[in-house]
């Protein structure tokens, strides 16, 4: 898929140590913050203020980490403030790529691959080429390539939307975020990319233990943290949206489907039906991406015709 050292793009994967068959996700390293007054955030440099039409997102439809940023853009009412470039559903040896025109092109700079965005940053980036990337048009540099940072920093813009990280729920949100990232968001990849039976069994078992826990919790709670939708719900949703059409089959996360759960399924549909959320979802592209040709997982690249899942059905919450 490619990587960069010192701002130079290289084909292939960077050297890595053996992890006993366990998939390890690369860490993001471009971590500046947009803040209300432009002061430095928890990491990185100062100087990034929440200005209209200053920033641009590079994403891919089928990337769940990029999906977080798209949900934040909708939640905080920034669809006219922050532009978006959507990569093609399938990566090539150039990584995430763009067409010359059309829905998978870059209307901002006309790049043909996301590594061109990284190359344009003056920091001479070293690492994997991931999305989302939040680009500062004014400074001509990357603000962040860490979705866990991009989502909350979008709240720095003047917005009437509810805060996704209210102080009185901070501990609860962090507890859910940590569990969901480790066992669900990244758990499906630990199962799908495992190279030993033991690593797969551990990841898949832990994944469904957490989904069962969430389902039981939602029997008496409207959202993960009670009656208020928070960042924890936003982080969970991208995995739920991809689960039945992709992870259940392509990643062998097949003990149950999300649509099998009494409480998790109506909760997922209720989130999908929030204003603007459905526009951040594309089930056909998810299938095209996750069932793309892969020597290990899908050598013939055959894309299944199903399943058909009705996300528009009005959710009925059992027991509350």
């Amino acid at each position: 898929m490619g990587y960069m050292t010192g701002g130079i793009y290289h084909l292939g994967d960077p050297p890595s140590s053996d992890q006993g068959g366990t998939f390890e996700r690369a860490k993001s390293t471009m971590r500046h913050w947009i803040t209300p007054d432009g002061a430095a955030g928890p990491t990185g440099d100062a100087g990034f203020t929440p200005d209209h039409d200053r920033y641009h997102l590079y994403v891919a439809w089928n990337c769940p980490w990029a999906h977080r940023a798209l949900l934040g853009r909708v939640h905080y009412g920034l669809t006219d403030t922050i532009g978006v470039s959507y990569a093609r559903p399938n990566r090539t040896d150039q990584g995430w790529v763009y067409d010359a025109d059309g829905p998978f092109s870059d209307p901002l700079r006309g790049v043909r691959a996301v590594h061109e965005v990284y190359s344009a940053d003056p920091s001479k980036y070293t690492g994997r080429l991931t999305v989302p990337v939040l680009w500062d048009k004014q400074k001509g540099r990357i603000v962040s390539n860490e979705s866990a940072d991009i989502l909350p920093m979008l709240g720095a813009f003047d917005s009437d939307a509810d805060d996704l990280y209210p102080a009185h729920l901070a501990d609860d949100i962090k507890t859910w975020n940590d569990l969901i990232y480790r066992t669900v968001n990244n758990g499906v990849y630990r199962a799908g990319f495992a190279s030993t039976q033991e690593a797969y069994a551990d990841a898949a078992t832990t994944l469904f233990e957490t989904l069962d826990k969430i389902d039981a919790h939602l029997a008496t709670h409207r959202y993960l943290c009670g009656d208020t939708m928070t960042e924890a719900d936003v982080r969970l949703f991208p995995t739920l949206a991809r689960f039945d059409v992709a992870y259940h089959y392509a990643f062998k996360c097949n003990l149950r489907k999300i649509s099998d759960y009494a409480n998790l399924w109506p909760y997922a549909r209720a989130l999908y039906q929030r204003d603007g959320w459905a526009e951040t979802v594309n089930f056909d592209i998810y299938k095209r991406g996750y069932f793309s040709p892969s020597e290990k997982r899908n050598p013939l690249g055959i894309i299944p015709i199903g399943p058909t899942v009705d996300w528009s059905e009005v959710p009925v919450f059992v027991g509350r």
Side-chain angles (χ1 to χ4, degrees), residues 215 218-219 222 261-270 273 310-320:
D215 186 67
L218 291 173
R222 178 64 181 82
Y261 283 96
N263 305 302
L264 189 53
W265 178 223
Y267 159 85
R269 296 202 312 278
Q273 293 171 29
D310 186 5
W311 282 77
S312 65
E313 180 184 353
V314 176
V316 176
F317 298 95
V318 180
R320 55 181 171 84

Side-chain angles (χ1 to χ4, degrees), residues 76 152 162-175 177 229-232 235:
Y76 288 114
D162 293 335
D163 181 13
L164 290 174
Y165 211 110
H168 71 286
L169 294 175
D171 290 344
D172 202 13
I173 294 169
K174 184 179 186 306
T175 298
N177 281 351
M229 189 188 76
T230 67
E231 184 182 291
R235 287 192 182 206

Side-chain angles (χ1 to χ4, degrees), residues 1-15:
M1 160 172 88
Y3 64 100
M4 297 189 80
T5 55
I8 305 299
Y9 181 70
H10 304 276
L11 293 174
D13 293 324

Side-chain angles (χ1 to χ4, degrees), residues 72-132:
R73 178 174 172 264
V74 167
H75 177 78
Y76 288 114
L78 301 174
T79 55
D80 294 327
T81 297
I82 298 176
V84 182
S85 295
Y86 296 93
R88 291 183 58 80
N90 306 112
R91 285 178 290 187
T92 71
D93 62 359
Q94 297 297 305
W96 294 112
V97 295
Y98 299 86
D99 293 334
D101 52 39
F104 302 122
S105 62
D106 171 29
L108 178 64
R109 303 179 65 243
V111 302
R112 300 302 298 273
V114 78
H115 67 73
E116 295 177 29
V117 182
Y118 281 87
S119 295
D121 187 272
S123 68
K124 298 188 182 299
Y125 176 76
T126 294
R128 290 184 179 271
L129 289 309
T130 61
V131 290

